Amino acid sequence: QILLVTYIQLVGGGSEGQGHILQRFPEKDWEDNPFPQGIELFCQPNGWQLVPERERPSFFVSVLTDINSERHYCACFTFWEGLDNPQLPKAEASEVDEDEVPGLVQPAQVFAPKSLVLVSRLDHTEVFRNCLGLIYAVHVDSLSVPLETVIGNLLTCIIPVAGGSQRTITLGAGDRQVIQTPINDSLPVSGSSVAHLFRQLGIVNVLYLFCAALTEHKILFLSSSYQRLTDACRALLAIMFPLKYSFTYVPILPGKLLEVLSTPTPFIIGVNSFFRSETQELLDVIIADLDGGTVTIPECVHISLLPDPLLQQTQTALSMVLDPELEMADHAFPPSSTQPSTLKIQDKEIRAVFLWLFGQLFHGYRWCLHIIRIHPEPVIRFHKAAFLGQRALTEDDFLMKVLDGMAFAGFISERGPPYRPTDLFDDLIANQVERIRQEECSPHKVMNHIKELAEQLFKNENPYPAVAMHKVQRPAESPGHNDPKNLAMFPLLDDVTVQLFIDHAAAKLQTAPPVVKAELKGMVPSGPPLGDIVDRHGHVLANSARRLEVVRNCITYIFDNKMLEAKKLMPAVLRALKGRAARVCLTQELNQHVLQNRAVLDDQQFDYIVRMMNCTLQDCSHMDEHGIAAILLPLVTAFCRKLGAGITQFAYSCVQEHMVWTNMQFWEAMFYSDVQNHIRALYLEADGGEQSIAYIHTLTPSDLSPSTSQSRGQELLGALELASEQSRLWPTLSKEQQSERVQKEESTVFSQAIHYANRMSYLLLPLDTSKNRLLNRSGIGDVESVSNSYVTNSIAGSMAESYDTESGFEDAESSDVANSVVRFINRFVDKVCNESGVTNEHLKALHTMIPDIVQMHIETLDAVHRESKRLPPIQKPKLLRPILLAGEELVMDGMRVHLISDGREEATGALGGPPLLPAEGAIFLTTYRLIFKGTPNDPLVGEQVVTRSFPIASLTKEKRISVSLSMDQFIQEGLQLRSCTFQLLKIAFDEEVASDLAEVFRKHMHKLRYPQHVQGTFAFTVGQSGKTLVEHKTKDKNQSIKTLSKNLVKSAKRTIGRQYVTRKKYSPPTWENRSISEELDQGSLTLSSTIRSSDRQTMSNVVERACCRDYQRLGLGTLSNSLTRSKNEPFRISTVNRMYTVCRSYPGLLIVPQSIPDSTIQRISRCYRQNRFPVVCWRNSRTKAVLLRSAGLHAKGVVGFFKSPNATSAGPSQADSTSLEQEKYMQAIISSMPSYCEPSGRNTLGGFTSTHMSTSGRTHTYTSGFPLASNSRLLSPKNVREDDKLAPDSCPTKNSKVRNPPGGKWGSIRGSGRLSAYNPEVGNRLSSKESPQPNGGPSEALFLRQQRAYLYIIGDKTQLKGGKQDSFQQWEVVPIEVCDVRQVKNSFKKLIKACVPSSATSEPSMTFHRCLEESEWMCLLHRVLQVSVLVVELLDTGSSVMVSLEDGWDVTTQVVSLVQLLSDPYYRTFDGFRLLVEKEWLSFGHRFSHRGAQTLASQSSGFTPVFLQFLDCVHQIHLQFPMEFEFSQYYLKFLAYHYVSNRFRTFLLDSDYERIELGVLYEEKGERKNPQVCKSVWDYIDRLNKKTPIFFNYMFSPEDEEVLRPYSFISNLKVWDFYTEETLSEGPSYDWELVQRGRQERLAEEVPDKPDTTTPKSQRCIVWPCYDSRSRVVPDAITKLLQVSGDYLHITYHQYTAPPVFSCSSSVLSLFQPSFNNSLLMSSNLSHQRRSQGVNTLPLSVLRKWLTGFLLPLTPRSFEGILFKKGALLKPWKPRWFVLDKTKHQLRYYETRQDKECKGVIELAEVESVIPGTPTMGAPKNIEEKAFFDLKTTKRVYNFCAQDSPNAQLWMDSIQSCLSDA
């Protein structure tokens, strides 16, 4: 029994808005129930304030929780009392007395709150409301009863807590109240609060709150009513039953304590809506607004909802309770009334739904309890993994969080004990699970069940429905009641009187006999076991009986020593073990072969058993939810083999590589289950003398099948039942017996702890204790990893990856393995011993014992390890040798490794095809490459050879990894090697490879990757013996090269100085000048094919090789005999840089304006970064506009450059003169343009500027006026050209002299706002407005030239800020944003990870396309292409362009090269492209060595693929214009591979200067001693080109003077297949001779010794993705035809200058190149007719016969010929070429057969009929009448006339057949 009210106090407001207690009763605290502090805050949660008008009394209940988690209910009754207004003058206030009637001037009154508060441990809201109301009524109505008596009586009411009794109380004021106590106080009392909560918020919202509360989120209720806040919080707790909320719970939070809301722990709190604004910035709090009916969930909060069928069923049941009419809403005859129950009943029905829900969620939980101590108190643990595994809910987020939560832990400790009082929930779990299971699919049966439960809940709260009437006095509502003069202040009471009441009651209580109520304890039934449930859910076990049979047979064969049969079955068994049933079957079978805890096997048996165990464990999660690892644990310590005298190796030493052994929770569950067995045995022995510890109630799947569990239930007593019996007997035992039992249990736990310390050391100490890395990675060493999840290998991997050093090499730290294992076992022992009550002495003993156990085990293992090394090795596949290049040598011979699969799924068989990886083989390190060669592990494809390799120079990142392979026993550490040729090698060293050897391998690899000097690269060392790499014998050799190079440079300087005198034009050199180069050249007479004019070259010839030939072709430079130059040439070749003194990174010869002297150039160069001043690199042959390149200006130069020339200055400073010279330089370039000279007739400014100024009338300053300078990307998609929407231009456009005169090509840009986005004038200048002239020449309108700048300078936006431009200058600066080198580097890293991921992932954020997008590689290509197209347009309209970006050697080079490629068809041939790369990339000093990190010095700068980006841009253009390039896509891939491979010297070093210094520039030809070694990639390509057509593009069919304008939008760009394709059968195909030799060897192997005549050979050819080279296995038609008798025709392509042209339909084309991207050629939207008609160029007249024979059988797609067509009204008949296209269902017509532009289309879908016609006026003469026919469409009638009547009939029939086909 308990006091109804513990404290009463009167609280009033203070002066500073604070409340304080005026009086409290009793004044002393109760001993067992101290007075709760801070009550005054909770009486007025919004603060104590005065109000101008009296308010009605209010009542609410606050809940306070004390330090012992006891809840105190504080009922607050607040009323308002009048006060004098404190703001009136003091004098007046003192005169007016309280009792006096105020005089003439009544001062304003204000009202202050006063609260009556009672504190109780019970929650009887209505009783409290009545009691406090009564006290107030006594005071207000001045009843005769003294207040002291009422309060004294209230403080002495004693009522029972529970038990369903009824107590009548009276406070002595003529009142009577009946209090009903609930029958069972474990069930919450909710009144009707739950029903109200659902009405306020709705079903879905409350379910969200319910799940949020269970998964420990923060919940905040808002309402303007305090009582509603309390009710809502109470309701939420009521529906959580049987779980109890254990976090912060404050139904009404005072405003002063609002900072509590930012606590990090979960809570349920209510706050008045008055403070709504202060709750807005809470980021992780779920806010439920009770008044508005909304629940707001912040973005960062994810609420896990109930698992699916349950959520749906719960919602249905709730809607049937709350809205029963919903179900009948559509009925034709709805029942007359389906009102929902009354609120009180509805409240219980809702609670019943949630009770039913928890019954579904937790049924069977008692079968997963481990009882580890019975005496003195039961200690119980819950086996979470087993529960989730049995319920098949391991993946369910909600249940996982609930089971891990505090509420569930409380649930287990409260409801776990087997002997205790039971309640409604226990009954539900024990007896009604079966019913729930059967009824869950029938809502009406569920409703009946819920109504029954609701009835029980209602009865619990209202045990006596017919309650006697209450009688409580309420204050009289008389008129004038609120009048202040009727209301006296609430008086202070006499505390002595009240205390007397309390003392009197206390004395009476002591004399009364104690009320003893027997608690009904009993055994808690467990309910049906879980096994049946899973079977009923029908999770069909994926293993058929046949598979289980295979597993059993295999084990039988192994133990019968039939190894051959076992070996055959093994792959099938390993596959079957993926399924759970097969794994259980395996453990059962193995169990039968264990005798007295031992099973000794021979080596082969042992090997097979271990492989099966590993395979079984491999698919167990670290939780081990199916208990497989638990059953295997005793087995791995049973199976063993004898290694030698007294040395035995157990299976556990071979199955350690599994995460489950490092999971603390697994060991705890195992320990508890064993302890439970032993304690149960202890009592069984004591009671019945039973000796067997047979089947015990531990949860393993094998015993949970329904049959065994039921039969066992009858035979044996379960552990919980036994514990219940023991708990019942406990009070009857004597003290000695009790302590004896406690001691026995404690020592049982202690002995198990020792046993487990041993077991854990078995599984955690590796066989070779020197190899501890695998342990460290799995997180055993971490002290923090006690949490639920351990650091898995993948996480550890990603952590390691995050510190990405540029070099990519890192060292793994090693730590002492024994210590980490001891720490892990100590943590385990501490945890389990504390929980199971082991004494401190025993715990200390354990801690001293553990290091000894571990040390002892290590010593045993050392002996085992030594012996196991002596075993004969298991037969492994022999290592295959790779084929090496001439001059390539092995640095390290093959080391046996396993090639592990990475994130590319093709090779693993995930996308179909055989699993080629993982494969076993060897890794070879040569001077050139890193090669893996081996065979797949899968026996089905064991015959195939897998090769993966990449050049050592392309290695970008090396990382150590640890790998566990499924079947092998030991795998040491591995390496992950990433290459910039888009290859990844993930290798794991075999156990036979010593770890020091792996370290040597890494060091050699590092040395080869980053040689000290460029001469250490393969291109230089090729042919030298490999030993020189390891030993230091190369010194003298380098010495000689250095001296040679010094001589070369000297004579270079000598000869370059006089080159103009010695030669006229580009003529063969004279013999006198051959002094030095002869020594190098006489070895060979074969020269690179591009330099045809001479067989031998002087040094000066070499220096000018690429540049000079190109300058002469373009007519830029002249070399004449005399030093005087012809004045009419605007440009000259300057030798100012011949000694490389002006600019180190420029070539020796440069093109500059004729009028600029060399001295000026030297001064100008200082303004530019790296001295890279503007030079001309290309001239448009038609418009004579020139393209210049330079670096960006220095900051100083920028200012000077934009200074107005007219600015007055005190004296001509040096800076001014330089800027003047710069202007002169620009002017000289502008003057060189014919378009500039023409209008005024002389080459001055005068004639131009006057007209220019008069027309334009305003200055042009465009420092930021160019749209390409947008912030993030150069061009947003919305700026797409208008033409994209028009049909004729919807393909990449070209520009040819004949068809499209260059005048009108940029017009579309002006219209779409692409160029005029910022300043319309730029757009006008850059586009010409008038119509093109008929002859296609440049348009002559003068104003065009006034509107357009003569020179555009493309500069960096960041550099050109704040520059002013003068109106008299004719150049204009176009600022753009360029991509930084760092951007390219980072983008490339992400691109590689997207194309070649290191591990497979299923995360949606890591898909290929998402990663590709995040890399931004396509954005960078888009920018470069876009700038290039802009420059092409400007050059084509006659303006010169100077590209002046960054240092002038990265982006500048890309743009300049692409511009030339797009503008000049010559560069799209073999010779031209080579020349372009040599000129722009090599001679102009792109830093290949630095950007490629080729040496140790540049290692830190990292790999930046600027050249690869350029090749990718060329590839994009190639895709859009496949007929414009002489070379194929393979040619680009070949260059992309070899520019990083270091096989050739071409792409080494950073400039011509460096190449001359090293003497590389002259070694372009092979030397006689090693003729097969090519030093130049170009020579190699030429040689290869003579042997095979591999580089030739069969579709090459160029148009004259073609200018290409590719689309650059990201949607038009494709991912280059160079990044993603791979051929595992032969490795990369770019070292051609290797591939050829490999194929010949393979063919030789495949030829059988004797021809097999019996079986017919199938012609089918299987092509495997990523294994076969598709182009070889399925060659395109032309390649196939070229393979005459298995060999290619030896034809040199460039001998054919005018190849024959075949026109064929596109269907044939698609046969020629199946590997070509179909959408490029055949897609319907490419209306460029050259493509869709498929003009093809075949360079082999030899093929003419073949092709005609080949093409004849093909049915033509279309019918075509000439027809006369009558024009529209008043238009004549005209002959047209008609094409009837059956595929597109169109009749198209062209002006002539050769015409490519379609004149019109008649859609056959619109044709109604084809009928013979009659000649009309103006019809062709001399043609018979029957040759006319009409075509009637839905729109009009077409009149046609054929050549004769049969022809007309043929046309009519063809059209008719087309119509009928459709």
Side-chain angles (χ1 to χ4, degrees), residues 43-176:
C43 302
Q44 288 289 319
N46 285 11
W48 292 81
Q49 289 150 351
L50 302 173
V51 291
E53 281 183 27
R54 186 190 300 279
E55 295 186 6
R56 286 185 169 277
S58 66
F59 172 84
F60 59 83
V61 179
S62 280
V63 182
L64 304 179
T65 310
D66 67 17
I67 199 158
N68 303 322
S69 307
E70 295 285 346
R71 294 210 171 116
H72 299 270
Y73 298 91
C74 304
C76 299
F77 183 98
T78 304
F79 53 94
W80 303 80
E81 292 186 333
L83 280 184
D84 296 337
N85 191 340
Q87 292 171 349
L88 289 175
K90 276 194 178 164
E92 278 180 37
S94 62
E95 285 165 17
V96 180
D97 198 7
E98 255 188 336
D99 302 330
E100 279 180 15
V101 178
L104 299 168
V105 182
Q106 182 176 339
Q109 257 201 332
V110 289
F111 296 90
K114 199 169 269 187
S115 296
L116 279 168
V117 184
L118 65 81
V119 180
S120 171
R121 298 280 293 277
L122 302 173
D123 183 12
H124 289 291
T125 308
E126 283 312 306
V127 175
F128 299 157
R129 187 195 302 271
N130 291 338
C131 293
L132 291 173
L134 179 70
I135 295 172
Y136 180 67
V138 169
H139 159 60
V140 172
D141 295 348
S142 309
L143 298 179
S144 56
V145 188
L147 281 171
E148 285 84 352
T149 310
V150 177
I151 286 176
N153 282 331
L154 181 54
L155 281 171
T156 53
C157 272
I158 293 177
I159 62 162
V161 176
S165 60
Q166 188 167 304
R167 195 55 67 87
T168 307
I169 62 164
T170 174
L171 302 183
D175 60 310
R176 188 174 77 248

Side-chain angles (χ1 to χ4, degrees), residues 27 155 328 1165 1748:
E27 289 183 344
L155 281 171
M328 328 284 188
S1165 67
T1748 37

Side-chain angles (χ1 to χ4, degrees), residues 384-454:
K384 180 180 86 173
F387 181 71
L388 289 170
Q390 290 301 317
R391 300 289 302 275
L393 286 170
T394 39
E395 301 300 316
D396 183 56
D397 207 19
F398 173 77
L399 202 52
M400 282 285 272
K401 285 181 179 168
V402 171
L403 296 185
D404 285 335
M406 292 267 289
F408 188 76
F411 171 83
I412 291 299
S413 61
E414 183 191 343
R415 292 182 180 268
Y419 185 68
R420 59 173 170 82
T422 57
D423 64 12
L424 185 56
F425 181 72
D426 294 313
D427 174 60
L428 186 71
I429 288 288
N431 308 322
Q432 306 193 26
V433 171
E434 198 52 52
R435 175 177 174 183
I436 291 179
R437 206 183 300 163
Q438 286 162 0
E439 293 178 352
E440 66 184 356
C441 297
S442 150
H444 286 287
K445 288 183 179 169
V446 171
M447 270 320 286
N448 291 337
H449 191 182
I450 282 168
K451 289 222 160 97
E452 289 170 30
L453 291 172

Side-chain angles (χ1 to χ4, degrees), residues 1-50:
Q1 302 216 0
I2 191 171
L3 280 171
L4 174 63
V5 176
T6 48
Y7 297 97
I8 293 182
Q9 58 268 6
L10 178 65
V11 185
S15 51
E16 295 86 31
Q18 301 282 350
H20 56 257
I21 297 173
L22 302 174
Q23 257 190 319
R24 72 166 247 215
F25 306 101
E27 289 183 344
K28 280 191 285 193
D29 285 12
W30 297 105
E31 280 176 22
D32 58 338
N33 198 347
F35 179 73
Q37 296 303 314
I39 275 194
E40 55 276 16
L41 280 173
F42 287 84
C43 302
Q44 288 289 319
N46 285 11
W48 292 81
Q49 289 150 351
L50 302 173

Side-chain angles (χ1 to χ4, degrees), residues 797-798 800-805 902-904 956-957 959 976 978-980 982-984 1385-1401 1405-1415 1417 1619-1620:
S798 64
E801 222 165 308
S802 60
Y803 67 95
D804 169 18
T805 46
D902 46 53
R904 293 171 286 183
T956 56
K957 183 154 189 236
K959 188 175 104 184
Q976 180 175 300
R978 205 180 262 291
S979 145
C980 58
F982 292 84
Q983 190 50 276
L984 180 74
K1385 187 195 300 182
N1386 294 332
S1387 170
F1388 179 71
K1389 272 187 198 165
K1390 291 179 185 167
L1391 175 73
I1392 273 200
K1393 283 185 181 162
C1395 297
V1396 191
S1398 57
S1399 57
T1401 173
S1405 61
M1406 298 295 288
T1407 57
F1408 170 64
H1409 288 103
R1410 175 64 55 85
C1411 294
L1412 180 70
E1413 181 189 17
E1414 283 172 5
S1415 77
W1417 181 257
Y1619 304 153
T1620 52

Side-chain angles (χ1 to χ4, degrees), residues 1265-1322:
F1266 200 72
L1268 294 174
S1270 68
N1271 291 333
S1272 56
R1273 293 207 299 266
L1274 281 163
L1275 190 62
S1276 62
K1278 60 173 180 282
N1279 292 339
V1280 175
R1281 306 184 197 170
E1282 295 285 342
D1283 331 6
D1284 289 5
K1285 298 165 194 159
L1286 311 175
D1289 277 332
S1290 65
C1291 74
T1293 53
K1294 297 188 184 178
N1295 202 356
S1296 124
K1297 239 182 192 168
V1298 189
R1299 286 187 290 118
N1300 278 342
K1305 269 332 284 171
W1306 229 186
S1308 54
I1309 280 182
R1310 187 186 73 253
S1312 67
R1314 179 170 170 179
L1315 281 176
S1316 52
Y1318 291 84
N1319 193 321
E1321 290 188 47
V1322 183

Side-chain angles (χ1 to χ4, degrees), residues 489-521:
M489 298 287 276
F490 194 91
L492 290 177
L493 305 181
D494 180 5
D495 42 6
V496 180
T497 319
V498 177
Q499 189 62 44
L500 274 173
F501 268 100
I502 296 169
D503 295 344
H504 181 62
K508 200 164 146 193
L509 204 65
Q510 278 169 356
T511 56
V515 181
V516 179
K517 183 176 181 235
E519 255 197 306
L520 288 171
K521 285 190 177 180

Side-chain angles (χ1 to χ4, degrees), residues 296-321:
T296 313
I297 301 171
E299 277 178 29
C300 61
V301 171
H302 165 70
I303 300 179
S304 310
L305 286 173
L306 289 163
D308 215 1
L310 268 183
L311 182 64
Q312 195 52 48
Q313 290 162 6
T314 311
Q315 280 181 326
T316 311
L318 285 171
S319 94
M320 287 170 81
V321 168

